[in-house]
Amino acid sequence: VRQRLAQKIEDDPRFALVKMLNAGSVAKGTALSTIGDMDVAVYVKAAAAPDEERALIAWLRDRLKETYSKLDDDQFVACDHCVKLIFRTSSYVDIDVVPVLYEGEADNVGYLIVHDTGERVHTSISRHVDFIRKRKQAIPDDFAQVVRFCKWWAGCQKQLDADFRLKSFIVELICAHLADTGSVFSDYTEAMSSFFLHIAKTGLRERIAFTDYYPASSLPDATGTPIEIFDPVNADNNVAATYSTTERDRIVAAATEALEAIADASYATTKARAVEDWQVVFGPSFKS
Ligand SMILES: Nc1ncnc2c1ncn2[C@@H]1O[C@H](COP(=O)(O)OP(=O)(O)OP(=O)(O)O)[C@@H](O)[C@H]1O
Ligand SMILES: [Mg+2]
């Protein structure tokens, strides 16, 4: 898919699409094996694209149709904030194409249309990949594995409660904060406990931020939003800005329950009891 676009751009340098980058968990190496969709970001010449979002997505779909002219019309689906490319031949992967409005900035910085909310944020997905890669290098294997466990837990909560919200990027940033502040990752029980304890203890009321790409002094004063977890790339972008107090408290309650279950499991005198406890964390598919 990327090669075909690269060819199209080479053939027609005036084409409104600039490049395609892997975004999301496959690029970061934190995908679950059950992943449904792959994320790619398509960089779009900002001046050539419509401003209004529905028009932008429809426009992007048409540009993708021009690029992949061998695919059928119904393989391109304009969704709320992305275009889905549907491949009937592959067993599991659809590709979600999110637009980044781009004006030639370095390090792939542009205005990303965030997949789930449609917010426009000035950021760089490739810097996010580097940010996660750095933590993976500091804690080989275990960092990514613990992220996957925590994402699995969040997925289970979503299955139990359709209103539960906790996006993968936020899980990764909480794990990165724990990694940067010396939490143990090699013992998975301890690592999971640290993740839940952090959420339970702070109530997610403590700001999380990083200094990889800007100094702490660039961060704003308290913004008044229930959760503050800042984009490592842009100090003005609170990744959790759209979460309500109710949504925050739901996360805290679920984390508290998981923490208690793990503690109970460590004192359990039968394996059956311990498995039951861990099912609170990982859902009914968890087996001994
Ligand atoms: N609010 C945001 N601000 C800045 N970048 C964001 C924001 N939300 C998502 N991103 C970017 O989108 C990427 C994808 O994040 P997202 O949480 O949607 O899923 P993911 O990492 O692909 O995980 P999975 O698909 O397994 O749930 C992030 O790595 C980040 O680069
Ligand atoms: Mg994804």
Side-chain angles (χ1 to χ4, degrees), residues 33-49:
S33 61
T34 49
I35 187 170
D37 301 328
M38 261 187 79
D39 308 295
V40 302
V42 161
Y43 281 67
V44 164
K45 287 178 189 163

Side-chain angles (χ1 to χ4, degrees), residues 25 33 48-49 70 100 102 127 153 168 182 188 195 199 246 251:
S25 55
S33 61
K70 291 209 177 82
V100 176
Y102 185 56
R127 280 184 169 178
W153 166 76
S168 299
Y188 294 154
F195 178 80
I199 296 174
T246 312
I251 300 168

Side-chain angles (χ1 to χ4, degrees), residues 154-225:
C156 290
Q157 302 313 305
K158 284 173 207 165
Q159 294 225 314
L160 292 172
D161 173 2
D163 293 329
F164 186 89
R165 278 183 83 200
L166 180 58
K167 74 183 288 169
S168 299
F169 192 37
I170 292 180
V171 169
E172 283 174 348
L173 293 176
I174 296 172
C175 288
H177 170 74
L178 294 172
D180 294 1
T181 51
S183 278
V184 170
F185 277 69
S186 54
D187 177 325
Y188 294 154
T189 302
E190 192 175 338
M192 295 299 289
S193 293
S194 305
F195 178 80
F196 296 129
L197 180 62
H198 174 84
I199 296 174
K201 193 180 66 190
T202 64
L204 283 180
R205 289 159 200 257
E206 263 176 32
R207 168 178 288 192
I208 291 178
F210 303 90
T211 53
D212 295 57
Y213 293 106
Y214 51 78
S217 59
S218 313
L219 289 160
D221 293 338
T223 60
T225 46

Side-chain angles (χ1 to χ4, degrees), residues 44-58:
V44 164
K45 287 178 189 163
D51 222 33
E52 194 273 317
E53 194 184 355
R54 282 180 73 87
L56 169 65
I57 296 295

Side-chain angles (χ1 to χ4, degrees), residues 67-129:
T67 308
Y68 307 107
S69 50
K70 291 209 177 82
L71 300 185
D72 293 334
D73 268 9
D74 61 359
Q75 289 180 267
F76 303 83
V77 179
C79 301
D80 282 346
H81 315 297
C82 70
V83 178
K84 213 180 249 303
L85 290 182
I86 297 175
F87 291 95
R88 301 187 202 94
T89 46
S90 102
S91 52
Y92 61 97
V93 176
D94 291 333
I95 298 185
D96 288 338
V97 182
V98 294
V100 176
L101 302 169
Y102 185 56
E103 286 163 347
E105 282 184 73
D107 279 340
N108 301 313
V109 174
Y111 288 90
L112 167 72
I113 313 283
V114 175
H115 190 172
D116 49 336
T117 59
E119 295 160 278
R120 281 182 190 206
V121 299
H122 193 241
T123 196
S124 162
I125 52 172
S126 57
R127 280 184 169 178
H128 291 152
V129 174

Side-chain angles (χ1 to χ4, degrees), residues 203-206 223-228 238 240-241 243-246 248:
L204 283 180
R205 289 159 200 257
E206 263 176 32
T223 60
T225 46
I227 308 178
E228 290 187 329
N238 174 10
Y243 285 64
S244 67
T245 308
T246 312
R248 178 192 64 197

